[in-house]
Amino acid sequence: MNFIGYNDKQIEAIKETEGPLLVIAGAGSGKTRVLTTRVSYLIQEKNVLPENILAITFTNKAAHEMKERINNILGLESRRIQISTFHSFGLLLIKQNYEKLGYKSNFTILDSDDTLTVIKKIIKDMDLDVKIYNPKAIRNKISSSKNELIDSGSYEKYVNTDYDKKVLEIFKRYEMKLKINNSLDFDDLLMQPIVLFKMYPDVLEQYQEKYKYILIDEYQDTNEAQYVLVKMLSKKYKNICVVGDESQSIYSFRGSNYRNILNFEKDFPSSKVVLLEQNYRSTKTILKSANNVIKNNKQKKDKNLWTDNEDGEKINYYRAVDEKDESYYVATQIKKLIDNGVDKNQIAVLYRTNAQSRTIEEAMLKENIPYKVVGSFYFYNRKEIKDLISYLRLIYNPNDDVSLTRIINVPKRGIGEKTIQNIITKAEENSESMFNTISSGKELEFKKIILNLIKEKDNCSLTELVELILEQSGMKQDLVSEKTIDSEIRIENLEEFKSITRNFEEQRGIVSLEEFLEEISLVADISEHNNNTDVVTLMTVHSSKGLEFDNVFIIGLEEGVFPHKNSYDTADDIEEERRLCYVAITRACKHLYIVNSKKRMLYGLDSMNPPSRFINEISDEYIETIGKKEDINVFKPKIDKNKMMNEDNDLHPGDMVNHDKYGFGVVVTIDGSIATISFKRDGLKKLMKNHKSIHKM
């Protein structure tokens, strides 16, 4: 195999095929290239059978990219390699062993909205106050529990209060409902394979024999369920290669645990470690700035990214007057770049929260700059699309009560809530599905429509089936007769759905309804970034992971915004915010702009925010400041110890104070008698503004 163009460490990571291997791959170090070449090396040089290789990554986009690259090297042989996301792989295991897990072959997968519908119904049946037992909060609690491999039986150990007891009851009813409906939720795709392996050790051994070589991408993003699944599969042969970077672990809110990658050497004592430290993406200045920031984290592997790229320009730092000035500055700088011949698709604006995009969008519109907001809207979440998918799912699995409840009166058929409730009650009394319970009335007419479509599904293409649903259900005619702008948009969306099915059929040939439903169930984000679109990209830092742009603007780098005010509680949270900043900086290839505001309307209040600590962590030699760089860390306050705040309580946002315990700080907001103060050492604190421990400077 030819290794021209690979550095020594990349070659080492490719050739080290036997036993456990940890590859710490820094930003822009070519990890995808290493992974794909390693797979090819196993087959071409080590004579490993393609079907004995399992490669797992986190997104459909990454899995597709890996498949394409390996296919370019191996050709048809690549089809025998299992390359997928964790959830896709979990689904495969369940499909191959559904009977052992107590499911029928035509099980359906509920999305987050569907699970919410089930939980709302359970809470209503239990006559609980939704203000106390918030359905979304309960759903998230159940989801996070399952990702920690805690089912309702195990959850009993965590019950301490009356609230917990009710949550447990909801959890139990939820699991029972899914079983009756022959349904799984998204979290089950990870949990149930582990249940399978624990119940049937012989099945586990079969898969251990099959997948003798395992590769895991983005290992720092694994949660408990993913971690356990990987350990179980690799236990026999231990030919496991994990690739990742703890400095880019930014998804703890999804359950990911960066400690999984830090503990790899403990889990596999015989493991070898390879550091990929050469960066091929960014200039020396950008890379050194990123290193400046991340070195302040304690929970990390020792590494130092370097590059042979040019030094590049200094980071451009602008401290705006307010958020409007911030947005105007960004828009005008982007305008200059475009006027100088820079491609729009090589410009990105990154922010900590989606709410920050509003003023940027306004400024972009004023400057006539074409842009797109990544992740702002999700095609499959549109009502008419979810209705259509529910028809498809009910045709495939008539026992899917969630889908039936959603569409039994779509379009309106005169089937009211009372009738639906009667069907639900009867179904629960007889321990059967709602569909099987229906025997009379207008609901029977609906049942006949579904039964007819079930007959037709094997005699027509997927696109033809969609057209039949639209006609026979009355959905299309109902929208046509409405004759509004909204109904026209909905019709266009349904037509767009048919474009999706046509493309699916053209790519795959003859496909089953099962295949299509699986595909759309596993789609993580329809609005993924497309570099071919000639527009400027606006997105959160979380959404930017894995992407790169020649020109990057990071806005809102202020205390309380980035790092976010919710991160001040623990050192772990602050470290994750710093990793997030590291990810933001390393998205830039050539030019980086960092921007913040002295004043910002935040949470309905005017706030005066000191510059983010992350700016102060970057050496001055790498920053070109427009105006004066403010540095709260080097500020030397003159304190009048005799002037107590209970004597002079006229505090205002932006005032500098000293606290007897917390030291130097800046007032962020005033709300009545409460002052929110950002302290350089301890972060945001809410204190009585006239407390004697606070000294105004």
Side-chain angles (χ1 to χ4, degrees):
M1 181 172 277
N2 191 332
F3 290 107
I4 296 173
Y6 294 80
N7 64 47
D8 291 344
K9 289 296 181 181
Q10 288 176 328
I11 294 170
E12 184 182 351
I14 292 165
K15 288 186 172 184
E16 195 64 55
T17 59
E18 307 305 307
L21 175 68
L22 170 62
V23 181
I24 301 295
S29 62
K31 70 175 179 68
T32 304
R33 188 185 185 202
V34 168
L35 270 174
T36 53
T37 308
R38 180 181 170 90
V39 171
S40 304
Y41 182 82
L42 282 168
I43 295 169
Q44 294 181 328
E45 302 296 330
K46 305 297 289 187
N47 297 316
V48 175
L49 294 174
E51 52 267 32
N52 290 151
I53 298 173
L54 171 65
I56 294 181
T57 187
F58 271 81
T59 67
N60 291 301
K61 181 183 176 184
H64 181 71
E65 184 181 350
M66 192 181 293
K67 285 177 183 177
E68 276 195 339
R69 291 197 185 193
I70 293 174
N71 183 62
N72 290 336
I73 301 172
L74 298 176
L76 292 175
E77 269 195 313
S78 65
R79 297 180 184 180
R80 294 158 56 194
I81 307 167
Q82 182 61 43
I83 304 171
S84 62
T85 65
F86 269 106
H87 289 91
S88 296
F89 180 62
L91 175 60
L92 175 67
L93 296 177
I94 295 168
K95 284 177 65 179
Q96 292 175 346
N97 300 275
Y98 61 88
E99 288 180 307
K100 288 184 172 66
L101 289 166
Y103 294 99
K104 298 175 183 175
S105 62
N106 63 335
F107 62 82
T108 49
I109 305 164
L110 305 187
D111 64 17
S112 59
D113 283 349
D114 296 324
T115 61
L116 187 61
T117 300
V118 174
I119 289 166
K120 281 180 178 176
K121 172 66 171 56
I122 292 169
I123 291 171
K124 185 180 178 182
D125 290 345
M126 291 174 65
D127 199 26
L128 299 175
D129 188 345
V130 293
K131 292 180 181 178
I132 299 173
Y133 299 92
N134 182 281
K136 286 186 178 179
I138 303 291
R139 178 191 65 186
N140 293 340
K141 188 177 283 288
I142 290 173
S143 176
S144 60
S145 296
K146 293 171 83 167
N147 281 318
E148 292 292 319
L149 301 177
I150 300 168
D151 60 12
S152 62
S154 307
Y155 192 82
E156 291 192 35
K157 293 185 291 187
Y158 304 93
V159 172
N160 298 308
T161 64
D162 288 340
Y163 178 86
D164 293 335
K165 289 178 182 177
K166 295 296 184 186
V167 172
L168 174 61
E169 181 62 25
I170 295 167
F171 200 165
K172 287 179 176 179
R173 292 192 184 198
Y174 173 75
E175 287 186 328
M176 188 181 298
K177 187 68 174 175
L178 261 59
K179 275 290 185 183
I180 291 172
N181 284 188
N182 192 34
S183 297
L184 301 98
D185 62 23
F186 215 60
D187 301 311
D188 285 323
L189 300 184
L190 298 176
M191 190 174 185
Q192 288 301 316
I194 295 170
V195 172
L196 172 73
F197 290 159
K198 288 181 176 179
M199 289 173 60
Y200 299 95
D202 58 319
V203 175
L204 171 60
E205 190 173 0
Q206 290 172 19
Y207 286 104
Q208 289 173 334
E209 284 294 329
K210 180 173 176 60
Y211 301 117
K212 295 177 181 177
Y213 292 84
I214 300 172
L215 299 88
I216 310 295
D217 193 15
E218 305 287 6
Y219 192 66
Q220 77 280 350
D221 291 332
T222 51
N223 61 24
E224 179 67 14
Q226 292 159 338
Y227 168 76
V228 170
L229 184 61
V230 168
K231 281 192 71 178
M232 293 177 86
L233 283 168
S234 60
K235 189 175 181 180
K236 185 171 184 177
Y237 289 100
K238 295 183 174 60
N239 295 324
I240 178 171
C241 170
V242 302
V243 182
D245 180 9
E246 82 292 340
S247 295
Q248 297 186 70
S249 178
I250 59 175
Y251 298 116
S252 64
F253 62 94
R254 296 181 186 171
S256 67
N257 187 351
Y258 68 90
R259 291 181 179 84
N260 290 344
I261 194 168
L262 294 178
N263 293 334
F264 184 84
E265 293 164 87
K266 293 179 183 177
D267 295 331
F268 297 92
S270 61
S271 62
K272 295 183 178 180
V273 182
V274 177
L275 298 179
L276 301 184
E277 296 175 296
Q278 184 174 358
N279 175 285
Y280 295 91
R281 175 186 299 159
S282 306
T283 64
K284 285 186 175 69
T285 296
I286 291 170
L287 202 58
K288 287 176 180 177
S289 300
N291 286 338
N292 279 174
V293 172
I294 202 63
K295 73 179 182 183
N296 291 279
N297 272 7
K298 295 179 180 179
Q299 299 293 330
K300 66 181 190 305
K301 290 277 186 182
D302 289 331
K303 60 180 178 297
N304 188 49
L305 287 191
W306 60 275
T307 184
D308 281 334
N309 294 340
E310 62 184 5
D311 288 342
E313 297 179 6
K314 288 186 176 184
I315 296 169
N316 194 309
Y317 172 45
Y318 181 69
R319 181 139 171 86
V321 175
D322 55 25
E323 70 269 20
K324 290 184 179 178
D325 182 34
E326 174 187 64
S327 299
Y328 177 74
Y329 170 77
V330 171
T332 52
Q333 292 302 307
I334 290 174
K335 188 76 171 175
K336 288 179 184 177
L337 290 171
I338 295 170
D339 290 344
N340 289 330
V342 173
D343 290 337
K344 299 179 191 72
N345 61 19
Q346 285 301 319
I347 304 172
V349 182
L350 309 183
Y351 35 80
R352 178 61 180 82
T353 62
N354 277 306
Q356 292 170 257
S357 73
R358 181 182 59 83
T359 54
I360 291 289
E361 287 190 72
E362 289 174 359
M364 299 288 275
L365 289 167
K366 286 179 181 177
E367 295 296 322
N368 292 315
I369 301 170
Y371 69 91
K372 67 174 178 181
V373 183
V374 173
S376 62
F377 200 78
Y378 187 34
F379 178 81
Y380 282 69
N381 276 344
R382 294 168 181 166
K383 180 185 180 303
E384 63 277 10
I385 300 300
K386 287 188 73 69
D387 290 342
L388 180 53
I389 291 172
S390 290
Y391 269 101
L392 288 168
R393 285 172 39 181
L394 192 62
I395 291 165
Y396 176 64
N397 175 16
N399 292 329
D400 184 347
D401 286 359
V402 176
S403 293
L404 186 146
T405 304
R406 180 182 181 90
I407 59 171
I408 192 170
N409 200 39
V410 176
K412 293 190 183 301
R413 301 185 172 90
I415 303 173
E417 285 295 324
K418 188 176 179 180
T419 301
I420 296 171
Q421 187 56 53
N422 289 338
I423 297 169
I424 292 171
T425 302
K426 189 176 178 183
E428 290 175 347
E429 287 174 354
N430 297 327
S431 296
E432 60 180 5
S433 70
M434 291 172 66
F435 191 84
N436 289 336
T437 303
I438 293 171
S439 59
S440 62
K442 293 176 181 176
E443 56 269 31
L444 182 58
E445 293 302 311
F446 167 76
K447 184 176 182 176
K448 288 177 179 177
I449 293 171
I450 300 300
L451 287 170
N452 186 61
L453 289 166
I454 290 171
K455 287 180 185 177
E456 294 287 347
K457 75 176 175 71
D458 295 327
N459 302 318
C460 60
S461 69
L462 190 59
T463 305
E464 288 169 343
L465 179 61
V466 170
E467 186 61 51
L468 281 173
I469 292 170
L470 295 177
E471 294 294 339
Q472 294 189 19
S473 69
M475 282 179 67
K476 190 173 184 179
Q477 184 54 43
D478 185 62
L479 290 169
V480 169
S481 61
E482 193 175 309
K483 294 180 180 179
T484 64
I485 294 174
D486 183 62
S487 66
E488 288 176 5
I489 293 170
R490 291 177 183 272
I491 291 169
E492 289 173 2
N493 290 337
L494 291 170
E495 292 297 325
E496 180 61 21
F497 190 90
K498 285 194 288 183
S499 298
I500 294 169
T501 59
R502 286 194 191 99
N503 289 333
F504 192 82
E505 288 170 325
E506 287 171 6
Q507 292 171 6
R508 307 285 184 91
I510 299 172
V511 293
S512 65
L513 178 56
E514 176 187 11
E515 288 177 290
F516 182 71
L517 289 174
E518 282 177 14
E519 183 79 5
I520 61 176
S521 294
L522 294 168
V523 172
D525 186 3
I526 285 299
S527 56
E528 287 183 332
H529 180 77
N530 180 3
N531 267 340
N532 295 322
T533 305
D534 192 25
V535 293
V536 175
T537 302
L538 313 183
M539 64 200 318
T540 64
V541 182
H542 283 99
S543 298
S544 75
K545 179 86 180 305
L547 304 176
E548 60 182 56
F549 304 86
D550 284 349
N551 309 274
V552 171
F553 294 78
I554 308 172
I555 67 171
L557 272 167
E558 306 146 28
E559 289 294 311
V561 180
F562 194 1
H564 195 274
K565 67 182 183 70
N566 293 342
S567 69
Y568 287 109
D569 293 338
T570 69
D572 268 1
D573 289 341
I574 284 292
E575 291 213 350
E576 174 138 343
E577 289 290 299
R578 187 173 282 110
R579 293 194 295 269
L580 195 59
C581 184
Y582 175 82
V583 167
I585 293 171
T586 55
R587 297 313 93 197
C589 301
K590 297 178 180 179
H591 306 287
L592 178 62
Y593 303 76
I594 54 179
V595 194
N596 56 25
S597 303
K598 294 178 183 178
K599 177 184 176 184
R600 185 182 298 275
M601 178 65 78
L602 195 64
Y603 311 117
L605 299 169
D606 280 329
S607 62
M608 305 290 289
N609 305 317
S612 170
R613 68 190 70 191
F614 305 143
I615 297 176
N616 293 313
E617 290 170 357
I618 300 173
S619 172
D620 284 343
E621 66 179 296
Y622 305 132
I623 293 181
E624 181 178 337
T625 305
I626 298 175
K628 185 180 178 182
K629 181 186 177 186
E630 298 179 34
D631 191 334
I632 62 172
N633 292 320
V634 299
F635 186 83
K636 305 296 183 185
K638 295 180 180 179
I639 306 164
D640 184 358
K641 290 280 187 181
N642 297 316
K643 192 174 184 181
M644 301 298 182
M645 288 312 301
N646 61 335
E647 298 172 2
D648 179 12
N649 64 359
D650 190 24
L651 279 184
H652 302 283
D655 285 346
M656 289 174 285
V657 301
N658 192 71
H659 190 277
D660 291 346
K661 179 180 179 182
Y662 302 121
F664 170 68
V666 178
V667 178
V668 177
T669 61
I670 298 291
D671 187 8
S673 62
I674 303 297
T676 301
I677 303 172
S678 177
F679 294 100
K680 75 168 187 178
R681 186 180 65 239
D682 295 288
L684 284 183
K685 300 289 182 183
K686 289 187 177 182
L687 305 167
M688 296 293 293
K689 70 177 185 179
N690 62 349
H691 198 275
K692 65 181 182 180
S693 61
I694 303 173
H695 313 281
K696 187 175 179 179
M697 297 183 308

